[in-house]
């Protein structure tokens, strides 16, 4: 599977989920956005990894947050998509990280009016896709509360949290939520996400 091969680097950081009954974070007092990256929107096509699906694993997490918080959703899409060869996509993703590439995006979301931003990404080779690095370089998340979400196939966060902290020194990064991609559509994920959101302590 694509992500299983892509995620060989193991990580130790995990999200914690609090018991049901905790006081829910009040998103009504915040302007909230979810910025997500999904391979399903950033490749030409090819093998049947996704089958007939139009929503990828990471976008599904983003959609749950949108439903539960009323957040606005933005997709990061590269000008040059990945090709349709499985192994080539894997190799290119790793090469981009090693070379610290900044892929050109079709558009940069205007996040100026938001104070809370979820960043949702598949954990590739232990970190986020480099399309996020392109966004971070613009300063669009400076001064904002950033909440990471990731899907993976065993690496959990990898070193992506450390990478986020290094890339966003002017942002407040809260504890995030991670889940294995192959089971992200399971019904219990909705409950876990609700509990995670209840546990968040947003600034006043």
């Amino acid at each position: 599977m694509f992500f299983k091969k892509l995620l060989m680097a193991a990580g130790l950081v995990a999200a914690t989920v609090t018991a049901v009954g905790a006081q829910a974070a009040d998103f009504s007092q915040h302007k909230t956005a979810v910025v997500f990256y999904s391979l399903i929107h950033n490749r030409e096509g090819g093998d049947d990894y996704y089958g007939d699906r139009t929503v990828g694993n990471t976008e599904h997490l983003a959609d749950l947050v949108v439903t539960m918080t009323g957040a606005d959703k933005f997709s990061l899409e590269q000008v040059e998509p990945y090709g349709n060869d499985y192994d080539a996509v894997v190799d290119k993703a790793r090469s981009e990280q090693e070379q610290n590439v900044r892929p050109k995006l079709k558009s940069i979301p205007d996040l100026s009016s938001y104070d809370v931003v979820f960043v949702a990404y598949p954990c590739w080779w232990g970190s986020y896709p480099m399309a996020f690095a392109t966004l971070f370089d613009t300063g669009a998340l400076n001064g904002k509360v950033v909440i990471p979400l990731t899907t993976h196939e065993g690496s959990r966060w990898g070193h992506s949290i450390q990478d986020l902290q290094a890339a966003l020194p002017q942002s407040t990064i809260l504890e995030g939520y991670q889940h294995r991609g192959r089971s992200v559509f399971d019904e219990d994920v909705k409950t876990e996400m609700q509990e995670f959101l209840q546990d968040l302590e947003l600034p006043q």
Side-chain angles (χ1 to χ4, degrees):
M1 293 178 68
F2 174 76
F3 288 114
K4 186 173 183 180
K5 182 174 180 181
L6 202 59
L7 301 171
M8 291 188 295
L12 300 176
V13 185
T16 353
V17 176
T18 294
V20 178
Q23 184 175 356
D26 187 2
F27 285 92
S28 68
Q29 302 301 311
H30 298 272
K31 181 73 170 170
T32 305
V34 181
V35 182
F36 77 96
Y37 180 97
S38 178
L39 183 62
I40 206 169
H41 301 304
N42 283 283
R43 69 179 307 195
E44 295 172 351
D47 60 48
D48 62 352
Y49 176 78
Y50 287 108
D52 296 328
R53 284 167 49 190
T54 58
V55 175
N57 297 339
T58 306
E59 185 175 5
H60 179 61
L61 288 188
D63 286 341
L64 290 178
V65 171
V66 168
T67 299
M68 294 175 183
T69 68
D72 295 325
K73 186 174 80 167
F74 299 92
S75 175
L76 292 187
E77 297 185 17
Q78 298 170 196
V79 171
E80 295 185 10
Y82 292 109
N84 58 18
D85 179 78
Y86 173 96
D87 291 325
V89 174
V90 173
D91 293 341
K92 185 172 183 180
R94 185 169 195 173
S95 175
E96 286 177 340
Q97 285 195 11
E98 292 173 344
Q99 298 178 36
N100 208 23
V101 169
R102 298 297 190 268
K104 186 175 181 180
L105 302 178
K106 292 181 180 179
S107 63
I108 300 291
D110 181 2
L111 302 174
S112 57
S113 65
Y114 298 92
D115 62 305
V116 175
V117 180
F118 289 82
V119 291
Y121 54 89
C123 190
W124 289 0
W125 298 108
S127 195
Y128 45 77
M130 295 308 291
F132 266 108
T134 303
L135 172 66
F136 297 158
D137 282 356
T138 68
L141 296 180
N142 288 352
K144 302 185 186 300
V145 173
V146 174
I147 305 168
L149 309 169
T150 195
T151 55
H152 62 87
E153 290 301 341
S155 66
R156 296 180 180 266
W157 294 105
H159 47 81
S160 66
I161 298 299
Q162 295 94 319
D163 294 343
L164 283 172
Q165 292 168 338
L168 301 171
Q170 298 182 52
S171 304
T172 300
I173 301 174
L174 301 187
E175 185 174 29
Y177 176 83
Q178 55 81 17
H179 201 280
R180 188 177 287 266
R182 72 181 67 175
S183 58
V184 77
F185 284 89
D186 290 356
E187 196 63 27
D188 62 350
V189 175
K190 293 181 181 179
T191 302
E192 287 187 7
M193 180 61 76
Q194 185 64 60
E195 293 171 351
F196 163 71
L197 294 173
Q198 288 174 337
D199 191 39
L200 285 174
E201 296 183 4
L202 300 176
Q204 299 300 315

